[in-house]
Amino acid sequence: MKTVQVNIVTPDGPVYEADVEMVSVRAESGELGILAGHVPMVAPLKIGAVRLKHSGSTELVAVSGGFVEVRPEKVTILAQAAETSAKVDVDRAKSAKQRAEEHLNHPNESDVRRAELALKRALNRLNVAGK
Ligand code: ATP
């Protein structure tokens, strides 16, 4: 099967680079499955898991929003933060989840939108880490 080159890049540097058979991302407009030869496009991403399929296995990378740029031979994901499943610090994500839930339980004392986003990031990281 033809492969497409995927790069996931953050302000701290590259997080992932590989040739894969298919990459799936959570775009704002919905789930997007990208194969080699896809028409060029740019789309904003939600907080979610990027799924990378190759040689019969699927790898997950947690991304905290950003953009995907698709070209026929190359997919670039620019994210504010991204972690492969092996790089997720599970204890840190659990603490972040707990903090966000506490803020949401006391909505007058905090910025609800910020806590909701922090909770989404934490749940996404735990999901990608299989927790
Ligand atoms: P926290 O409150 O734990 O900092 P956060 O969601 O506010 O979580 P971000 O602002 O999204 O953190 O990320 C800041 C940096 O820390 C990024 O480089 C991101 O990759 C890294 N990071 C955040 N949480 C984790 C985690 N659970 N495991 C590994 N890296 C993490």
Side-chain angles (χ1 to χ4, degrees):
M1 193 172 181
K2 256 190 116 182
T3 58
V4 58
Q5 187 192 344
V6 178
N7 286 280
I8 302 179
V9 182
T10 73
D12 296 331
V15 167
Y16 182 94
E17 182 176 342
D19 291 320
V20 306
E21 286 152 12
M22 178 164 158
V23 51
S24 304
V25 297
R26 282 191 72 205
E28 293 282 356
S29 55
E31 191 79 17
L32 193 63
I34 303 155
L35 302 168
H38 197 287
V39 290
M41 63 173 286
V42 173
L45 299 178
K46 291 186 172 179
I47 294 168
V50 175
R51 294 185 149 66
L52 302 135
K53 289 187 188 165
H54 54 100
S55 314
S57 68
T58 301
E59 270 182 274
L60 297 183
V61 177
V63 299
S64 299
F67 289 89
V68 61
E69 183 205 28
V70 181
R71 286 189 271 141
E73 306 298 333
K74 188 172 177 182
V75 174
T76 306
I77 292 168
L78 297 169
Q80 194 57 42
E83 304 88 32
T84 59
S85 53
K87 286 278 166 66
V88 170
D89 178 335
V90 171
D91 288 341
R92 177 172 170 178
K94 283 183 177 168
S95 301
K97 173 176 177 280
Q98 203 172 347
R99 269 198 315 279
E101 285 170 342
E102 280 163 13
H103 282 305
L104 290 171
N105 287 335
H106 303 90
N108 292 333
E109 297 169 21
S110 64
D111 180 338
V112 171
R113 180 73 185 137
R114 191 190 292 187
E116 282 172 350
L117 290 173
L119 182 58
K120 280 186 187 169
R121 291 195 299 273
L123 292 174
N124 181 39
R125 287 176 174 129
L126 292 172
N127 173 45
V128 161
K131 302 289 169 183

